[in-house]
Amino acid sequence: MDRKRQVRDRRGRGMRGPAVVPRVPGRPELRTARERFDDLALGIVTEIDARWQDQLGLVEYAVEDTPQIPDDWSSATVPLSSLVRGTGTQPTRLVLFRRPIEHRCETREDLEAMVLTIVVEQVAELLGIEADQVDPRYEGGPADGD
């Protein structure tokens, strides 16, 4: 019995596999970091967009893992988001870059605050108003890398 236990728990990490993560048909597995980030961003964007939709017009929101940085990039920082104003029939596009944002955050609260800060500052830029007018939760100070 002792030998069998050593084989299953060789490195002291406890049991692994189906005994830890239930595999029940129709029941979702553990959510990935990408899915959790998408849910967080969607919640923040939905609230802000609903509040300012009349003034913003059509805005397309997206999350990408990382920005595509050209070879001749000279800045020491990586962008956290991208804002491209719409023209004609093209909507305005606001993209959040998940990995650089997550890299700067230690806790879930930090991540929520960072995403809120980035979205609020970009929407304020679009509206031409101060960021603290966009959302009462905004605490000021530009996000790093913006």
Side-chain angles (χ1 to χ4, degrees):
M1 180 85 156
D2 191 30
R3 179 167 162 61
K4 190 174 188 179
R5 182 170 182 86
Q6 288 176 346
V7 171
R8 289 187 151 281
D9 191 14
R10 287 181 285 201
R11 294 176 181 85
R13 295 182 296 202
M15 289 184 61
R16 299 288 183 197
V20 176
V21 178
R23 299 209 181 260
V24 179
R27 184 173 174 190
E29 299 293 333
L30 294 175
R31 300 190 49 76
T32 65
R34 177 179 293 141
E35 291 170 330
R36 289 190 305 268
F37 186 90
D38 288 348
D39 289 344
L40 170 65
L42 181 62
I44 290 171
V45 163
T46 301
E47 287 179 40
I48 293 174
D49 191 64
R51 186 177 301 136
W52 294 99
Q53 187 174 25
D54 293 339
Q55 291 88 352
L56 283 173
L58 183 60
V59 178
E60 183 179 279
Y61 300 94
V63 173
E64 293 181 8
D65 282 340
T66 57
Q68 292 183 357
I69 298 176
D71 292 336
D72 61 348
W73 184 262
S74 61
S75 177
T77 61
V78 175
L80 302 179
S81 65
S82 170
L83 178 64
V84 178
R85 292 183 184 271
T87 57
T89 60
Q90 296 295 322
T92 296
R93 183 169 167 82
L94 172 57
V95 180
L96 300 174
F97 299 120
R98 180 178 66 86
R99 296 297 304 255
I101 294 171
E102 287 177 335
H103 184 70
R104 288 167 175 76
C105 301
E106 292 182 18
T107 65
R108 175 73 178 186
E109 291 78 27
D110 291 345
L111 185 61
E112 290 174 13
M114 178 71 76
V115 171
L116 177 70
T117 299
I118 293 167
V119 172
V120 166
E121 289 176 356
Q122 297 290 18
V123 168
E125 174 74 23
L126 281 172
L127 296 172
I129 61 175
E130 295 296 319
D132 57 358
Q133 294 176 293
V134 173
D135 192 288
R137 298 172 291 177
Y138 179 75
E139 295 186 13
D144 291 336
D146 246 10

Tab-separated table of all heavy atoms in Angstrom, residues 38-52 56 59-63 94 96 115-116 119 123 137:
chain	number	residue	atom	x	y	z
A	38	ASP	N	-11.498	37.083	-20.392
A	38	ASP	CA	-12.570	37.501	-21.294
A	38	ASP	C	-13.836	37.872	-20.520
A	38	ASP	O	-14.485	38.877	-20.831
A	38	ASP	CB	-12.894	36.397	-22.312
A	38	ASP	CG	-11.816	36.220	-23.364
A	38	ASP	OD1	-10.917	37.086	-23.465
A	38	ASP	OD2	-11.873	35.209	-24.096
A	39	ASP	N	-14.190	37.067	-19.522
A	39	ASP	CA	-15.370	37.360	-18.714
A	39	ASP	C	-15.215	38.683	-17.960
A	39	ASP	O	-16.148	39.484	-17.893
A	39	ASP	CB	-15.644	36.236	-17.714
A	39	ASP	CG	-16.158	34.970	-18.380
A	39	ASP	OD1	-16.582	35.033	-19.554
A	39	ASP	OD2	-16.114	33.916	-17.720
A	40	LEU	N	-14.041	38.900	-17.392
A	40	LEU	CA	-13.770	40.142	-16.671
A	40	LEU	C	-13.879	41.339	-17.610
A	40	LEU	O	-14.564	42.321	-17.314
A	40	LEU	CB	-12.376	40.093	-16.041
A	40	LEU	CG	-11.849	41.397	-15.449
A	40	LEU	CD1	-12.689	41.822	-14.267
A	40	LEU	CD2	-10.397	41.248	-15.069
A	41	ALA	N	-13.208	41.259	-18.756
A	41	ALA	CA	-13.235	42.359	-19.724
A	41	ALA	C	-14.652	42.603	-20.230
A	41	ALA	O	-15.087	43.758	-20.346
A	41	ALA	CB	-12.298	42.059	-20.890
A	42	LEU	N	-15.382	41.542	-20.521
A	42	LEU	CA	-16.749	41.688	-21.014
A	42	LEU	C	-17.639	42.401	-20.000
A	42	LEU	O	-18.420	43.278	-20.357
A	42	LEU	CB	-17.335	40.318	-21.363
A	42	LEU	CG	-18.761	40.322	-21.914
A	42	LEU	CD1	-18.827	41.088	-23.228
A	42	LEU	CD2	-19.255	38.888	-22.095
A	43	GLY	N	-17.489	42.054	-18.733
A	43	GLY	CA	-18.282	42.704	-17.692
A	43	GLY	C	-18.009	44.199	-17.613
A	43	GLY	O	-18.937	45.012	-17.546
A	44	ILE	N	-16.746	44.572	-17.645
A	44	ILE	CA	-16.369	45.990	-17.552
A	44	ILE	C	-16.803	46.744	-18.798
A	44	ILE	O	-17.394	47.817	-18.718
A	44	ILE	CB	-14.853	46.117	-17.307
A	44	ILE	CG1	-14.521	45.634	-15.891
A	44	ILE	CG2	-14.374	47.555	-17.526
A	44	ILE	CD1	-13.049	45.505	-15.589
A	45	VAL	N	-16.530	46.178	-19.960
A	45	VAL	CA	-16.878	46.836	-21.219
A	45	VAL	C	-18.391	46.998	-21.348
A	45	VAL	O	-18.872	48.041	-21.789
A	45	VAL	CB	-16.292	46.037	-22.407
A	45	VAL	CG1	-16.952	46.412	-23.711
A	45	VAL	CG2	-14.793	46.249	-22.486
A	46	THR	N	-19.142	45.980	-20.973
A	46	THR	CA	-20.602	46.037	-21.080
A	46	THR	C	-21.170	47.179	-20.254
A	46	THR	O	-22.022	47.938	-20.725
A	46	THR	CB	-21.221	44.693	-20.645
A	46	THR	OG1	-20.698	43.660	-21.478
A	46	THR	CG2	-22.729	44.721	-20.756
A	47	GLU	N	-20.701	47.319	-19.020
A	47	GLU	CA	-21.179	48.401	-18.148
A	47	GLU	C	-20.865	49.777	-18.730
A	47	GLU	O	-21.727	50.654	-18.787
A	47	GLU	CB	-20.536	48.295	-16.765
A	47	GLU	CG	-21.054	47.175	-15.914
A	47	GLU	CD	-20.340	47.146	-14.577
A	47	GLU	OE1	-20.079	48.224	-14.010
A	47	GLU	OE2	-20.045	46.031	-14.107
A	48	ILE	N	-19.630	49.965	-19.134
A	48	ILE	CA	-19.206	51.275	-19.640
A	48	ILE	C	-19.871	51.582	-20.975
A	48	ILE	O	-20.347	52.702	-21.201
A	48	ILE	CB	-17.671	51.354	-19.720
A	48	ILE	CG1	-17.096	51.317	-18.296
A	48	ILE	CG2	-17.224	52.598	-20.474
A	48	ILE	CD1	-15.605	51.235	-18.225
A	49	ASP	N	-19.943	50.594	-21.858
A	49	ASP	CA	-20.563	50.816	-23.163
A	49	ASP	C	-22.046	51.135	-23.016
A	49	ASP	O	-22.565	51.996	-23.727
A	49	ASP	CB	-20.361	49.603	-24.066
A	49	ASP	CG	-20.746	49.879	-25.500
A	49	ASP	OD1	-20.083	50.738	-26.120
A	49	ASP	OD2	-21.712	49.265	-25.997
A	50	ALA	N	-22.729	50.460	-22.104
A	50	ALA	CA	-24.153	50.735	-21.894
A	50	ALA	C	-24.367	52.172	-21.413
A	50	ALA	O	-25.311	52.843	-21.827
A	50	ALA	CB	-24.733	49.743	-20.888
A	51	ARG	N	-23.474	52.644	-20.565
A	51	ARG	CA	-23.592	53.991	-20.020
A	51	ARG	C	-23.321	55.064	-21.079
A	51	ARG	O	-23.928	56.115	-21.080
A	51	ARG	CB	-22.620	54.154	-18.851
A	51	ARG	CG	-22.761	55.482	-18.126
A	51	ARG	CD	-21.833	55.592	-16.933
A	51	ARG	NE	-22.101	54.522	-15.984
A	51	ARG	CZ	-21.160	53.798	-15.384
A	51	ARG	NH1	-19.892	54.023	-15.634
A	51	ARG	NH2	-21.474	52.867	-14.532
A	52	TRP	N	-22.403	54.809	-22.008
A	52	TRP	CA	-21.949	55.832	-22.961
A	52	TRP	C	-22.292	55.511	-24.422
A	52	TRP	O	-21.794	56.176	-25.330
A	52	TRP	CB	-20.441	56.023	-22.826
A	52	TRP	CG	-20.068	56.588	-21.508
A	52	TRP	CD1	-19.614	55.908	-20.416
A	52	TRP	CD2	-20.133	57.959	-21.113
A	52	TRP	NE1	-19.393	56.764	-19.375
A	52	TRP	CE2	-19.699	58.034	-19.782
A	52	TRP	CE3	-20.523	59.134	-21.767
A	52	TRP	CZ2	-19.643	59.238	-19.087
A	52	TRP	CZ3	-20.456	60.323	-21.076
A	52	TRP	CH2	-20.033	60.368	-19.752
A	56	LEU	N	-20.833	57.217	-27.828
A	56	LEU	CA	-19.752	56.464	-28.461
A	56	LEU	C	-20.087	56.022	-29.881
A	56	LEU	O	-19.212	55.960	-30.732
A	56	LEU	CB	-19.425	55.206	-27.640
A	56	LEU	CG	-18.624	55.385	-26.374
A	56	LEU	CD1	-18.550	54.066	-25.622
A	56	LEU	CD2	-17.227	55.882	-26.696
A	59	VAL	N	-18.786	50.776	-31.384
A	59	VAL	CA	-17.421	50.443	-30.975
A	59	VAL	C	-17.308	48.929	-30.918
A	59	VAL	O	-18.153	48.255	-30.328
A	59	VAL	CB	-17.060	51.047	-29.595
A	59	VAL	CG1	-15.656	50.642	-29.183
A	59	VAL	CG2	-17.200	52.554	-29.603
A	60	GLU	N	-16.285	48.410	-31.532
A	60	GLU	CA	-16.010	46.976	-31.515
A	60	GLU	C	-14.926	46.737	-30.464
A	60	GLU	O	-13.859	47.344	-30.523
A	60	GLU	CB	-15.521	46.563	-32.898
A	60	GLU	CG	-15.256	45.100	-33.051
A	60	GLU	CD	-14.803	44.788	-34.464
A	60	GLU	OE1	-15.671	44.678	-35.344
A	60	GLU	OE2	-13.578	44.685	-34.668
A	61	TYR	N	-15.223	45.869	-29.493
A	61	TYR	CA	-14.268	45.552	-28.434
A	61	TYR	C	-13.706	44.160	-28.691
A	61	TYR	O	-14.415	43.267	-29.129
A	61	TYR	CB	-14.950	45.580	-27.069
A	61	TYR	CG	-15.541	46.923	-26.726
A	61	TYR	CD1	-16.875	47.204	-27.005
A	61	TYR	CD2	-14.774	47.916	-26.135
A	61	TYR	CE1	-17.422	48.435	-26.694
A	61	TYR	CE2	-15.317	49.146	-25.820
A	61	TYR	CZ	-16.645	49.399	-26.100
A	61	TYR	OH	-17.191	50.619	-25.797
A	62	ALA	N	-12.421	43.981	-28.395
A	62	ALA	CA	-11.793	42.677	-28.602
A	62	ALA	C	-10.690	42.459	-27.581
A	62	ALA	O	-10.181	43.410	-26.979
A	62	ALA	CB	-11.221	42.597	-30.015
A	63	VAL	N	-10.346	41.194	-27.397
A	63	VAL	CA	-9.208	40.813	-26.558
A	63	VAL	C	-8.296	39.949	-27.421
A	63	VAL	O	-8.750	39.003	-28.062
A	63	VAL	CB	-9.657	40.019	-25.310
A	63	VAL	CG1	-8.451	39.490	-24.550
A	63	VAL	CG2	-10.532	40.863	-24.406
A	94	LEU	N	-11.465	48.867	-30.123
A	94	LEU	CA	-10.668	48.904	-28.897
A	94	LEU	C	-10.252	47.474	-28.569
A	94	LEU	O	-11.097	46.606	-28.367
A	94	LEU	CB	-11.464	49.501	-27.738
A	94	LEU	CG	-10.838	49.433	-26.351
A	94	LEU	CD1	-9.477	50.099	-26.321
A	94	LEU	CD2	-11.749	50.047	-25.321
A	96	LEU	N	-7.884	44.977	-26.126
A	96	LEU	CA	-7.099	44.786	-24.906
A	96	LEU	C	-6.131	43.634	-25.161
A	96	LEU	O	-6.516	42.612	-25.730
A	96	LEU	CB	-8.002	44.426	-23.730
A	96	LEU	CG	-9.077	45.435	-23.354
A	96	LEU	CD1	-9.983	44.858	-22.273
A	96	LEU	CD2	-8.441	46.725	-22.890
A	115	VAL	N	-7.753	46.501	-15.967
A	115	VAL	CA	-8.664	46.456	-17.118
A	115	VAL	C	-9.625	47.639	-17.068
A	115	VAL	O	-9.851	48.305	-18.080
A	115	VAL	CB	-9.421	45.104	-17.173
A	115	VAL	CG1	-10.521	45.144	-18.227
A	115	VAL	CG2	-8.458	43.963	-17.447
A	116	LEU	N	-10.157	47.939	-15.893
A	116	LEU	CA	-11.055	49.088	-15.755
A	116	LEU	C	-10.339	50.376	-16.142
A	116	LEU	O	-10.870	51.195	-16.905
A	116	LEU	CB	-11.584	49.191	-14.325
A	116	LEU	CG	-12.468	50.405	-14.062
A	116	LEU	CD1	-13.804	50.249	-14.775
A	116	LEU	CD2	-12.657	50.629	-12.583
A	119	VAL	N	-9.794	50.542	-20.045
A	119	VAL	CA	-11.036	50.773	-20.786
A	119	VAL	C	-11.545	52.187	-20.542
A	119	VAL	O	-11.927	52.892	-21.485
A	119	VAL	CB	-12.102	49.712	-20.420
A	119	VAL	CG1	-13.455	50.065	-21.049
A	119	VAL	CG2	-11.656	48.333	-20.868
A	123	VAL	N	-12.002	55.006	-23.475
A	123	VAL	CA	-13.327	55.575	-23.733
A	123	VAL	C	-13.300	57.078	-23.512
A	123	VAL	O	-13.891	57.839	-24.290
A	123	VAL	CB	-14.400	54.883	-22.858
A	123	VAL	CG1	-15.716	55.637	-22.894
A	123	VAL	CG2	-14.600	53.440	-23.313
A	137	ARG	N	-15.702	54.333	-10.608
A	137	ARG	CA	-14.709	53.453	-9.997
A	137	ARG	C	-13.287	53.811	-10.399
A	137	ARG	O	-12.331	53.326	-9.796
A	137	ARG	CB	-14.980	51.995	-10.394
A	137	ARG	CG	-16.325	51.488	-9.918
A	137	ARG	CD	-16.626	50.141	-10.491
A	137	ARG	NE	-16.850	50.278	-11.946
A	137	ARG	CZ	-17.087	49.270	-12.757
A	137	ARG	NH1	-17.124	48.036	-12.292
A	137	ARG	NH2	-17.297	49.463	-14.047
